[in-house]
Amino acid sequence: MDSKKPFRVAKDGFRWEDVATLAYKQEGSAKFRDISRQVLFEDPALGCQLRYFEMQPGGYSTLERHQHVHAVMILRGHGECLLGGAVRAVKPHDLVGIPPMTWHQFRADDGAAMGFLCMVNAARDKPQLPSGAELAALRADPRVAAFLDRTIGR
Amino acid sequence: MDSKKPFRVAKDGFRWEDVATLAYKQEGSAKFRDISRQVLFEDPALGCQLRYFEMQPGGYSTLERHQHVHAVMILRGHGECLLGGAVRAVKPHDLVGIPPMTWHQFRADDGAAMGFLCMVNAARDKPQLPSGAELAALRADPRVAAFLDRTIGR
């Protein structure tokens, strides 16, 4: 954090003073849609970062897994979350803990944007994407298959 | 986090499924009022914890400082924050980064409860309380003195 600027006010529309709205990740490596990233806290003195991700209606994050864990709080809007074999509706202030090596993906409902806070270790491994066989295994569950039809498609 | 319970829903009144509402800290060591603590995420795999602190109207946290830093987001209500020599009004989603060894205290306005998220290193030093001389130095600023009159009193 910038000790000369300890207070940063929240602006309308889930934006913050002196916080840039960034691309979610590099294009091309993985499938995602209509999602942005803001890094709220990033300080070498802290072991973690706090980020805010926001999806436009129908937008979604990458389907991925990794060794590092995520600690998520929904901050705005409504949507759904795929986590391992489960698909759950999520709403403001719901908590989602994403364990190591667990497939996960967030999607905003069609009606409104959804945003969430995500606490994560500053030092972390690179996300993995599912192979064809892993996708097929996920799709064996009809609820998961229906969710994936709404995100990455068939 | 409990990998068997990755989803924990938000309940009314800023409470969460499977999250206990705790005393703010041990009584007797420092002056605080009408404040509770909920630990939202605490996982050995994460370098930090995410806590939610809530003050009843007019309630306040301890005036303290320490080497570890805090990354704060206001989640509910309105209040004010003393940080070093500054006193600032705060509202939902405002960010406050508390640098090392900087006196700080939060207070909820008289009208409504105020709650905030606080990200902090899991391993951290013990807070220090101000000496009489340090309090007098803080009070040299009339805005800080007026704030302290609303919390710890004269």
Side-chain angles (χ1 to χ4, degrees):
Chain A
M1 62 195 62
D2 182 351
S3 61
K4 293 189 196 102
K5 190 86 187 177
F7 295 101
R8 289 170 296 155
V9 303
K11 302 191 287 187
D12 288 344
F14 290 79
R15 297 294 179 268
W16 287 267
E17 187 183 8
D18 293 316
V19 175
T21 301
L22 306 167
Y24 171 57
K25 53 176 72 172
Q26 294 287 89
E27 293 280 346
S29 55
K31 201 162 179 187
F32 57 87
R33 201 178 93 186
D34 295 338
I35 174 165
S36 66
R37 172 171 60 98
Q38 295 177 77
V39 181
L40 304 183
F41 288 103
E42 183 175 33
D43 184 331
L46 281 167
C48 288
Q49 298 174 351
L50 189 67
R51 299 94 47 89
Y52 174 72
F53 293 97
E54 191 173 87
M55 289 148 284
Q56 293 306 302
Y60 52 86
S61 62
T62 302
L63 173 61
E64 62 184 36
R65 67 179 184 185
H66 33 66
Q67 278 296 341
H68 63 272
V69 305
H70 287 314
V72 167
M73 173 186 279
I74 309 298
L75 201 60
R76 147 183 228 186
H78 290 76
E80 49 188 345
C81 174
L82 166 68
L83 183 63
V87 178
R88 284 277 293 262
V90 289
K91 66 175 193 312
H93 302 156
D94 280 356
L95 305 174
V96 188
I98 298 173
M101 294 308 279
T102 307
W103 298 113
H104 59 279
Q105 187 171 40
F106 287 89
R107 181 185 184 274
D109 285 350
D110 291 323
M114 181 173 81
F116 60 84
L117 297 172
C118 178
M119 180 171 78
V120 67
N121 284 327
R124 54 189 184 267
D125 62 318
K126 204 172 158 178
Q128 301 175 8
L129 303 179
S131 67
E134 285 161 340
L135 265 183
L138 281 166
R139 280 190 183 279
D141 182 310
R143 290 191 62 204
V144 173
F147 174 89
L148 294 175
D149 287 347
R150 292 191 288 278
T151 60
I152 56 178
R154 286 167 194 282
Chain B
M1 63 195 62
D2 181 353
S3 61
K4 292 189 196 103
K5 190 87 187 178
F7 295 101
R8 288 170 296 155
V9 303
K11 302 190 287 185
D12 288 343
F14 289 80
R15 297 294 179 264
W16 286 267
E17 187 183 7
D18 293 315
V19 175
T21 302
L22 305 167
Y24 171 57
K25 54 176 71 173
Q26 295 287 89
E27 293 280 347
S29 54
K31 201 162 177 186
F32 57 87
R33 200 178 93 187
D34 295 340
I35 174 165
S36 65
R37 172 171 61 99
Q38 295 178 79
V39 181
L40 304 183
F41 288 104
E42 183 176 34
D43 185 331
L46 281 166
C48 288
Q49 299 174 350
L50 190 67
R51 298 95 48 88
Y52 173 73
F53 293 96
E54 191 173 87
M55 287 146 286
Q56 294 306 301
Y60 51 85
S61 63
T62 302
L63 173 61
E64 62 184 36
R65 69 178 183 185
H66 34 65
Q67 278 295 342
H68 63 273
V69 305
H70 287 314
V72 166
M73 174 187 278
I74 308 298
L75 201 59
R76 144 183 234 187
H78 291 75
E80 49 188 343
C81 174
L82 165 67
L83 183 63
V87 178
R88 284 278 291 263
V90 291
K91 65 175 195 310
H93 303 156
D94 280 357
L95 305 174
V96 187
I98 297 173
M101 294 307 280
T102 306
W103 298 113
H104 58 281
Q105 186 171 41
F106 288 89
R107 181 185 184 273
D109 285 350
D110 292 323
M114 180 172 82
F116 60 84
L117 297 171
C118 178
M119 181 171 76
V120 67
N121 284 328
R124 54 189 183 267
D125 63 317
K126 203 173 160 178
Q128 301 176 7
L129 304 179
S131 67
E134 286 162 339
L135 265 182
L138 281 165
R139 281 189 183 279
D141 182 309
R143 289 191 63 204
V144 173
F147 174 89
L148 294 177
D149 287 347
R150 292 190 286 278
T151 58
I152 56 178
R154 285 168 195 281

